[in-house]
């Protein structure tokens, strides 16, 4: 009688593929954790990067992902400001919202798109500067609405999110500049 060979529930090629890919998945998660620990907002960084499964290839991919998230959030915030501006009846609050729109428009239409283009051309210093400037504009908007008594609420949360994401992005771009395309040894 021949001994029977136990059958596995997974086909062998699938099992081999799983064993080959598992270390890459673990390493990519480790990279996100390692990079996010070096940013000012670890939780925001980790949540943002883990939500994009393709982000973890390398530190440059992480920086690109966060920079694109910044543009997306700033664009959404500008749209929100413009919608609120159409509804606002209080002249003081309306002026504060108009000032915020004036702060966000160049960030969304020019600064961040140019920063993303510069990033992909290897001009990381400009990208870091533009991200830092975008954070300052979000903070300035917050000062405007707080000074008008319109602070707090949805717009304040949006300004904080943009500012904090900019801080994360600038920190990751700074790490990229430091490692110069080599492995993360910071």
């Amino acid at each position: 009688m021949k001994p029977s060979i136990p059958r596995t529930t997974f086909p062998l090629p699938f099992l081999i593929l799983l064993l080959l890919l598992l270390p890459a998945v673990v390493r990519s998660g480790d990279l996100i954790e390692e990079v996010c620990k070096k940013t000012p907002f670890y939780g925001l960084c980790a949540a943002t990067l883990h939500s994009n499964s393709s982000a973890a290839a390398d530190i440059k991919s992480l920086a690109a992902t966060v920079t694109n998230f910044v543009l997306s959030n700033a664009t959404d915030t500008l749209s929100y400001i413009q919608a609120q501006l159409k509804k606002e009846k209080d002249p003081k609050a309306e002026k504060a919202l108009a000032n915020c729109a004036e702060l966000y428009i160049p960030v969304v239409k020019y600064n961040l798109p140019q920063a993303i283009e510069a990033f992909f051309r290897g001009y990381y210093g400009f990208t870091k500067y533009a991200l830092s400037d975008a954070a300052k504009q979000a903070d300035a908007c917050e000062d405007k609405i707080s000074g008008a008594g319109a602070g707090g609420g949805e717009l304040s949360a949006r300004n904080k999110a943009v500012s904090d994401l900019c801080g994360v992005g600038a920190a990751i771009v700074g790490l990229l500049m430091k490692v110069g395309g080599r492995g993360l040894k910071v």
Side-chain angles (χ1 to χ4, degrees):
M1 177 192 253
K2 280 181 152 182
S4 66
I5 299 173
R7 308 243 334 137
T8 61
T9 57
F10 294 109
L12 187 58
F14 177 76
L15 188 58
I16 292 171
L17 181 63
L18 181 64
L19 290 174
L20 290 174
L21 292 178
L22 187 60
V25 171
V26 171
R27 280 192 309 270
S28 67
D30 290 345
L31 178 63
I32 290 173
E33 298 302 315
E34 190 176 345
V35 166
C36 288
K37 286 177 184 175
K38 300 193 182 313
T39 68
F41 303 101
Y42 169 81
L44 177 63
C45 176
T48 300
L49 294 175
H50 282 301
S51 70
N52 185 344
S53 60
S54 66
D58 58 20
I59 195 167
K60 185 174 180 181
S61 299
L62 299 178
T65 297
V66 172
T67 303
N68 283 314
F69 266 75
V70 170
L71 177 58
S72 176
N73 274 276
T75 301
D76 289 346
T77 300
L78 176 58
S79 295
Y80 178 82
I81 290 167
Q82 291 170 329
Q84 293 303 111
L85 195 52
K86 291 176 184 175
K87 296 189 253 181
E88 188 57 58
K89 303 290 185 229
D90 177 31
K92 194 173 180 181
E94 183 178 8
K95 182 177 180 182
L97 287 168
N99 287 333
C100 282
E102 288 176 9
L103 293 166
Y104 270 95
I105 287 170
V107 167
V108 167
K109 296 203 182 282
Y110 305 108
N111 299 4
L112 289 175
Q114 288 174 356
I116 291 169
E117 184 178 330
F119 177 83
F120 286 108
R121 290 182 175 194
Y123 297 108
Y124 304 134
F126 178 79
T127 304
K128 185 177 177 184
Y129 170 81
L131 287 167
S132 297
D133 184 63
K136 289 177 187 170
Q137 302 310 315
D139 294 341
C141 172
E142 186 58 31
D143 292 344
K144 298 280 185 196
I145 63 171
S146 295
E154 181 75 17
L155 184 52
S156 289
R158 288 172 179 266
N159 284 331
K160 180 167 177 29
V162 169
S163 181
D164 292 355
L165 275 170
C166 286
V168 168
I172 295 173
V173 171
L175 287 173
L176 181 60
M177 291 169 65
K178 186 176 179 181
V179 299
R182 299 180 312 272
L184 182 63
K185 301 278 191 250
V186 290

